[in-house]
Amino acid sequence: MLQNITACPLDCYDACVISYENSKIKAYKKGDTNGFLCPHMNHFEKNEFIISPRYKGKEISMQEALSQLSLMLKESEPNEVLHYKGHGNFALMQDVTEHFFSSFGAILTNGSLCDGAGEAGIIEGRGSNKNMPFSEIKKSEVIIFWGRNPHATSSHLLPYIKNKTIIVIDPIKTKIAQTADLHIQIKPHRDLFLAMILSRFLYIYDSHKEEYLEKYASEYEEYHELTQSMRIVPTLNEMDVELSQIEKVLELVEGKKVAIVCGVGIQKYIDGAEIMRAIDAFGVMLGLFGKEGSGVAYLGSSKEHITSPFITDAKRISKVDTEFSKFKTIFIQGANPLSQMPDSLRVKESISKTKNVVYFGLYENETSEVADLIIPAKSFLYKDDVRASYSQNLINFMPKQKETNVGISEYDLSSYFCKIYNIKLESEEFYINHFKSFAQEDENGLFVVKSRENTPYKEGFDTQSKEFLFLDEVDCDVQQSNKLHLITSKSPISLNSQFHKEQSVYLHSSLGYEEYEKVVISSVNGSVELSVKIDDNVREDCVLIFSGTKGVNNLTSSKHSYEGKNAIYQENRVEVNR
């Protein structure tokens, strides 16, 4: 691949190949960008990056910053040091810092602020998390966007869905829902019920794929019995779904190549794993897996068939409810826990009790505001890297595009401290070549991960029996409350807590509030004051606050999902008051 060809580093399904020509970022027309870039990448270099290291608010040199961090580490016992690393960037060289901190004896994190519950449900049913890539979605005839808003989260998928039948299942009437062949504006946190009811009616109408099921999911009869535990009419009422809509879905998918494309919002609940597993089960009842142009797409494992050369064995604690106050020194890399972690008020209090807070990243944010030591990182244009994707089989090379004196790369920072503590570290070129060894060129001149399948599960699932494992029990009780449902979708103008942040709460006009009126939204965990925007695309029983909005996580719980150790951002119900 040409030296001026690199890849977008952002946390996104698309993982676009891009070019850097005449000091400008451009779409790589031979890649999957379809000749355009999203707004985030189009304006990437216009963002305000951290230029200089700072200690206690005073600008210092990079050498002084590294010396200060060295002093902090020396005055801390290894188990008093926490490395809190974000996972919003899938460049593989970023894990080199874990190599240092795990070898040093520091505490690292696990768990997920994103997709962990859904992934856990997928693995329980399929035995692995192999994703359906864009190349297969392109071949589909019917696409079900289940809690996924491609205009906001994967705009480069849009050209592939033209002239296809579109079904949208979402509490919000998104842009894609407004033009869909069918939109089911389901009540939030009822996706488990809908998936099971759809599977039940497939069986009732004899539309399930019996030959496929006998071979790859032989316990489907028992699963049908489980779906019968739900009474049809009360369940439809609970979901706010019409029987005619169920029948319409089954009519539209009959005999077609179907892609069920899921977003992370469906699993931001305590039972998120069960929800995703039930949606998978509907796909299995339709016989979608192992079939070209069909399947269930979520977030796959970006490191599938890629082996890390770094030492990362360490004691780990959850990044969902991290108790920062137990540590003397915390090194926060590429993350913004004061905005992104649930229960922000608890997080703020906990971090305030830590002696040494170090922030290593590109942008100023809520966390850098409270950090004692700020170390600017290098952006993707100024370092060598390789990135993987959780949505496609691509592995993209990211050669350095130009030089800068600003910031320090993950490798150079790790190399500095590995030398101090006599920790073995190979050359940067060694690691880059290691990751490149997992790549092979495809027919379009792009690189994909060796051994990854475009159509996974052709020979059955990756469970011990090679069969899909259905849910064998469900809790049909739901939280009954007069309070409103909290929806925390991704914003089309921001990315998590990066770039332009939203400052509003979106409410249906029937709730009686005025445009731009200031209101207080509150939950059992806390409250936030925001300006109202009226949007009748939002259900009357919902409050939409985009993720990354300042203060939104004052409202959220730091409890985990039952499985997957995931944050449950939408579990709490909320009230709105003037």
Side-chain angles (χ1 to χ4, degrees):
M1 189 169 280
L2 299 174
Q3 180 65 26
N4 71 319
I5 303 303
T6 181
C8 173
L10 301 179
D11 179 7
C12 171
Y13 292 96
D14 296 356
C16 295
V17 180
I18 58 178
S19 66
Y20 192 72
E21 302 173 28
N22 301 319
S23 298
K24 289 185 179 180
I25 295 171
K26 297 181 179 180
Y28 181 56
K29 295 182 180 179
K30 292 182 181 180
D32 284 346
T33 61
N34 291 295
F36 70 93
L37 295 175
C38 73
H40 303 315
M41 185 46 54
N42 246 332
H43 303 105
F44 181 81
E45 292 196 274
K46 296 179 182 178
N47 292 307
E48 293 185 10
F49 296 96
I50 299 174
I51 302 299
S52 302
R54 299 197 304 273
Y55 180 63
K56 301 291 187 181
K58 179 183 176 182
E59 287 193 8
I60 57 176
S61 69
M62 182 60 71
Q63 183 55 55
E64 288 172 323
L66 296 175
S67 297
Q68 184 60 51
L69 177 54
S70 180
L71 183 63
M72 291 174 173
L73 294 176
K74 286 178 181 177
E75 70 178 22
S76 306
E77 294 296 323
N79 64 2
E80 294 178 319
V81 176
L82 173 68
H83 178 212
Y84 190 100
K85 178 176 173 290
H87 287 275
N89 186 315
F90 293 84
L92 299 169
M93 285 299 294
Q94 299 224 352
D95 286 346
V96 68
T97 50
E98 290 198 353
H99 178 92
F100 164 69
F101 280 105
S102 60
S103 301
F104 174 77
I107 309 300
L108 277 60
T109 60
N110 58 18
S112 173
L113 302 183
C114 183
D115 62 316
E119 181 177 52
I122 287 172
I123 292 172
E124 286 171 356
R126 305 183 205 170
S128 64
N129 182 17
K130 296 175 180 176
N131 202 40
M132 181 183 186
F134 282 10
S135 58
E136 290 301 297
I137 296 173
K138 188 177 181 179
K139 300 172 186 175
S140 304
E141 297 169 297
V142 178
I143 301 179
I144 302 175
F145 286 105
W146 202 317
R148 177 90 160 258
N149 179 7
H151 287 88
T153 61
S154 46
S155 58
H156 292 97
L157 181 59
L158 294 173
Y160 298 150
I161 68 175
K162 290 180 179 179
N163 303 317
K164 299 184 189 296
T165 299
I166 304 296
I167 300 169
V168 175
I169 301 168
D170 201 307
I172 309 298
K173 192 172 184 179
T174 58
K175 189 172 182 178
I176 192 74
Q178 293 169 28
T179 58
D181 296 272
L182 174 65
H183 175 212
I184 298 179
Q185 197 164 10
I186 188 174
K187 186 183 293 187
H189 201 184
R190 303 301 188 272
D191 306 271
L192 173 66
F193 298 161
L194 179 57
M196 293 184 70
I197 286 290
L198 285 167
S199 292
R200 181 173 178 178
F201 274 86
L202 265 181
Y203 189 95
I204 291 172
Y205 291 161
D206 199 26
S207 296
H208 60 294
K209 304 304 177 185
E210 188 168 355
E211 183 178 349
Y212 173 87
L213 293 168
E214 289 289 351
K215 188 174 182 179
Y216 296 124
S218 61
E219 294 183 350
Y220 69 96
E221 298 273 8
E222 290 86 344
Y223 183 63
H224 175 64
E225 289 180 12
L226 181 64
T227 67
Q228 289 179 304
S229 64
M230 294 186 297
R231 296 165 58 204
I232 292 174
V233 173
T235 302
L236 290 171
N237 291 337
E238 180 60 41
M239 297 186 296
D240 196 15
V241 174
E242 300 290 334
L243 179 58
S244 60
Q245 292 177 305
I246 300 294
E247 293 172 333
K248 186 66 175 177
V249 171
L250 302 187
E251 174 192 328
L252 291 174
V253 301
E254 177 65 29
K256 302 293 185 182
K257 293 180 180 180
V258 180
I260 303 175
V261 182
C262 300
V264 297
I266 59 175
Q267 53 89 71
K268 291 182 179 180
Y269 301 98
I270 202 162
D271 58 344
E274 291 184 348
I275 293 168
M276 192 66 227
R277 195 169 169 189
I279 294 172
D280 256 5
F282 176 53
V284 170
M285 294 291 284
L286 282 168
L288 301 183
F289 290 94
K291 177 181 172 184
E292 188 178 74
S294 298
V296 178
Y298 180 58
L299 282 75
S301 172
S302 62
K303 295 178 181 176
E304 181 193 357
H305 295 302
I306 300 174
T307 303
S308 175
F310 301 126
I311 296 171
T312 58
D313 293 335
K315 181 180 178 181
R316 294 175 183 262
I317 60 173
S318 172
K319 64 173 55 182
V320 176
D321 62 353
T322 310
E323 187 51 76
F324 294 101
S325 61
K326 292 183 178 179
F327 298 93
K328 183 176 286 186
T329 299
I330 55 176
F331 183 89
I332 299 167
Q333 175 189 344
N336 184 10
L338 274 169
S339 173
Q340 295 168 314
M341 280 181 68
D343 198 0
S344 294
L345 299 178
R346 183 202 69 81
V347 175
K348 185 176 182 179
E349 181 182 5
S350 184
I351 282 185
S352 71
K353 296 176 181 177
T354 300
K355 182 178 180 181
N356 302 314
V357 179
V358 183
Y359 173 77
F360 177 47
L362 292 172
Y363 313 105
E364 301 285 5
N365 55 36
E366 291 88 343
T367 302
S368 70
E369 287 175 5
V370 304
D372 300 290
L373 175 63
I374 296 172
I375 302 177
K378 285 188 185 294
S379 88
F380 76 107
L381 294 171
Y382 305 103
K383 61 187 179 184
D384 292 308
D385 217 323
V386 179
R387 80 153 286 170
S389 168
Y390 52 70
S391 186
Q392 305 200 63
N393 291 335
L394 295 174
I395 182 168
N396 297 330
F397 304 158
M398 304 173 71
K400 184 192 297 183
Q401 298 299 307
K402 56 182 179 179
E403 299 290 341
T404 182
N405 293 322
V406 173
I408 187 170
S409 71
E410 292 79 11
Y411 178 84
D412 287 343
L413 183 142
S414 300
S415 177
Y416 180 90
F417 286 100
C418 282
K419 288 176 183 176
I420 290 176
Y421 288 94
N422 199 29
I423 295 169
K424 184 177 180 181
L425 187 71
E426 303 289 352
S427 69
E428 185 175 29
E429 183 181 13
F430 172 88
Y431 294 119
I432 293 289
N433 287 335
H434 171 86
F435 290 124
K436 285 183 175 181
S437 72
F438 296 99
Q440 64 183 18
E441 194 168 359
D442 69 5
E443 64 275 10
N444 299 313
L446 302 176
F447 288 90
V448 295
V449 180
K450 294 176 184 176
S451 303
R452 280 203 197 166
E453 305 161 86
N454 281 334
T455 311
Y457 309 112
K458 280 186 176 181
E459 304 300 324
F461 295 93
D462 292 331
T463 58
Q464 189 172 358
S465 65
K466 296 296 181 182
E467 293 190 22
F468 182 81
L469 301 180
F470 291 100
L471 288 165
D472 53 15
E473 61 179 355
V474 292
D475 183 359
C476 291
D477 292 332
V478 293
Q479 179 186 353
Q480 300 294 341
S481 172
N482 292 325
K483 295 182 180 180
L484 300 169
H485 296 274
L486 175 64
I487 305 294
T488 58
S489 306
K490 285 196 174 184
S491 166
I493 66 167
S494 64
L495 190 61
N496 301 323
S497 65
Q498 297 176 353
F499 311 133
H500 303 288
K501 295 186 181 182
E502 295 273 359
Q503 300 179 28
S504 303
V505 55
Y506 293 79
L507 302 173
H508 194 279
S509 60
S510 65
L511 294 177
Y513 294 95
E514 300 292 332
E515 187 92 1
Y516 306 119
E517 181 179 358
K518 293 286 186 181
V519 295
V520 174
I521 306 95
S522 57
S523 75
V524 294
N525 283 84
S527 63
V528 60
E529 182 178 301
L530 294 170
S531 175
V532 171
K533 285 192 177 178
I534 300 300
D535 188 350
D536 285 352
N537 291 315
V538 179
R539 282 180 56 101
E540 297 176 22
D541 56 0
C542 292
V543 166
L544 171 61
I545 307 177
F546 288 110
S547 64
T549 301
K550 191 162 187 173
V552 61
N553 281 321
N554 294 354
L555 307 172
T556 55
S557 168
S558 57
K559 294 179 181 178
H560 294 86
S561 56
Y562 289 139
E563 297 160 84
K565 216 170 187 179
N566 199 58
I568 52 174
Y569 291 107
Q570 296 180 172
E571 186 75 20
N572 281 352
R573 302 284 281 271
V574 298
E575 294 179 309
V576 180
N577 293 290
R578 289 185 167 87

